[in-house]
Amino acid sequence: MAKKKRSRVTLEQVAKHAGVSRATASLVVRGSSSISKETREKVLKAMKELGYVYDRVAANLRSQRSSTVGLIITEIGNPFFSELLVGVHEALDKEGYTVILGTTFDSPEKQDALLSTMLEYRVGGVIMSPVPGCSVDMVERLKQWEIPVVLIARELPSKEQFDYVGIDNVAGGRLATEHLIQQGHRRIAFLGGFADSSVWRDRKKGYCQALEQAGIEIDESLFIQAFTTRQGGKEAMKQALQHPNPPTAVFCYNDVVAFGAMLGLKGAGMVPGRDIAVVGFDNIQESALFHPPSI
């Protein structure tokens, strides 16, 4: 015999169970501060006992206003994005918004799928770190959706059409390289990241500016591209050490690459900071735990 499908618990049923009006139950669900603590607890208890689940999509349709925001980042395993996620959650939570998180792992296909899914859920806006090499077609699609889009960390080809929140990667790359030059280094490699990323291009630009201002010739063989992971940094450092004229210092795309680079140095029997200077980028909390710290 087929099992009868359980019907969805309605807000009317919750209100009746709690002994309040539907309007009162609705205010509790929406987090209104006008409801007394005693009434709120009665409604919440009724919701739990009946197994009520708030239909947010339906509520958005009724109010014509979404209380959800889509957040698309490259990967949660990168401490930079983990810390960013916490900040986004804290800011949106204060305004009563719920975050729908998606990770692309820098795959254009995953990014497209995530954006489509978030549109289906009628998010009120999207915060995203676009994948490297994101096409102009994607820019046009975002415009057609007519929902607010804020770019973080990375930019798109038509960046003037979207709000952008990020750091000055050119200035950061220049400052990091200037620090190494001030320490007396003239063979400085740039490790990690890929040229199809706006962040990589900007940090490289700052790196080149510092070398040019110091009168140091730019050696493109010292641009060693690699995945922005510990393993990527380790492999990039190995490649740098195999260079016919190896560097005496490395500027790493980010702190995670710097961690891998230092592990690569230790694996080669060398001491980071003594045999080869290492500078990271991002200043994530974990960098303070390494010795020497990834400055």
Side-chain angles (χ1 to χ4, degrees):
M1 185 175 179
K3 187 177 181 180
K4 186 177 180 181
K5 185 178 179 180
R6 184 181 178 183
S7 61
R8 189 183 187 93
V9 177
T10 66
L11 193 58
E12 285 85 358
Q13 290 172 313
V14 170
K16 184 177 180 180
H17 192 76
V20 300
S21 68
R22 186 192 182 286
T24 298
S26 178
L27 288 172
V28 171
V29 168
R30 287 182 283 156
S32 174
S33 59
S34 64
I35 304 300
S36 68
K37 181 180 178 181
E38 181 182 358
T39 300
R40 184 183 306 279
E41 289 177 351
K42 283 200 303 182
V43 173
L44 292 175
K45 181 180 178 182
M47 290 168 60
K48 184 176 181 180
E49 290 176 349
L50 296 178
Y52 174 77
V53 178
Y54 184 44
D55 191 340
R56 192 172 297 276
V57 173
N60 290 343
L61 287 171
R62 290 192 299 270
S63 67
Q64 296 296 303
R65 179 180 180 274
S66 176
S67 60
T68 58
V69 172
L71 174 61
I72 299 177
I73 58 178
T74 177
E75 61 167 316
I76 197 65
N78 185 325
F80 171 81
F81 285 106
S82 299
E83 293 176 20
L84 184 147
L85 172 60
V86 171
V88 170
H89 265 289
E90 289 178 349
L92 291 176
D93 187 61
K94 290 178 182 178
E95 302 299 325
Y97 284 91
T98 298
V99 177
I100 298 178
L101 174 66
T103 53
T104 64
F105 300 100
D106 280 343
S107 163
E109 293 76 22
K110 289 185 183 297
Q111 178 177 266
D112 287 353
L114 284 169
L115 285 168
S116 296
T117 299
M118 288 179 178
L119 185 62
E120 291 170 5
Y121 277 89
R122 300 177 182 272
V123 295
V126 172
I127 301 171
M128 66 180 293
S129 178
V131 301
C134 199
S135 67
V136 177
D137 290 342
M138 174 56 67
V139 176
E140 294 304 316
R141 281 179 57 196
L142 291 174
K143 286 171 57 183
Q144 290 171 5
W145 288 353
E146 296 183 344
I147 61 174
V149 175
V150 176
L151 306 179
I152 50 172
R154 298 171 178 172
E155 297 174 298
L156 285 171
S158 301
K159 60 184 179 182
E160 70 277 359
Q161 299 180 24
F162 300 97
D163 290 323
Y164 169 72
V165 178
I167 58 178
D168 190 335
N169 288 297
V170 176
R174 184 175 64 251
L175 289 171
T177 309
E178 286 175 347
H179 169 77
L180 293 172
I181 292 172
Q182 290 166 3
Q183 301 302 309
H185 298 284
R186 298 185 68 81
R187 292 286 294 169
I188 304 171
F190 178 30
L191 305 188
F194 291 101
D196 58 356
S197 164
S198 64
V199 175
W200 185 92
R201 293 191 296 270
D202 285 347
R203 293 180 185 177
K204 175 201 165 190
K205 182 177 180 180
Y207 160 92
C208 291
Q209 286 179 353
L211 294 179
E212 290 170 347
Q213 290 169 4
I216 301 173
E217 184 178 355
I218 296 172
D219 183 351
E220 293 192 2
S221 68
L222 293 179
F223 300 154
I224 303 176
Q225 298 182 46
F227 289 106
T228 56
T229 61
R230 285 175 175 77
Q231 185 61 32
K234 187 176 180 181
E235 292 173 357
M237 178 56 80
K238 181 180 179 181
Q239 187 175 337
L241 294 176
Q242 293 173 344
H243 193 286
N245 184 13
T248 62
V250 294
F251 163 44
C252 297
Y253 174 87
N254 63 18
D255 284 344
V256 175
V257 170
F259 300 157
M262 288 192 283
L263 291 173
L265 284 173
K266 292 176 181 178
M270 304 175 75
V271 179
R274 185 191 72 185
D275 298 316
I276 290 184
V278 180
V279 170
F281 197 115
D282 285 337
N283 194 33
I284 60 176
Q285 295 181 6
E286 190 180 351
S287 63
L289 304 177
F290 272 72
H291 182 76
S294 176
I295 61 173

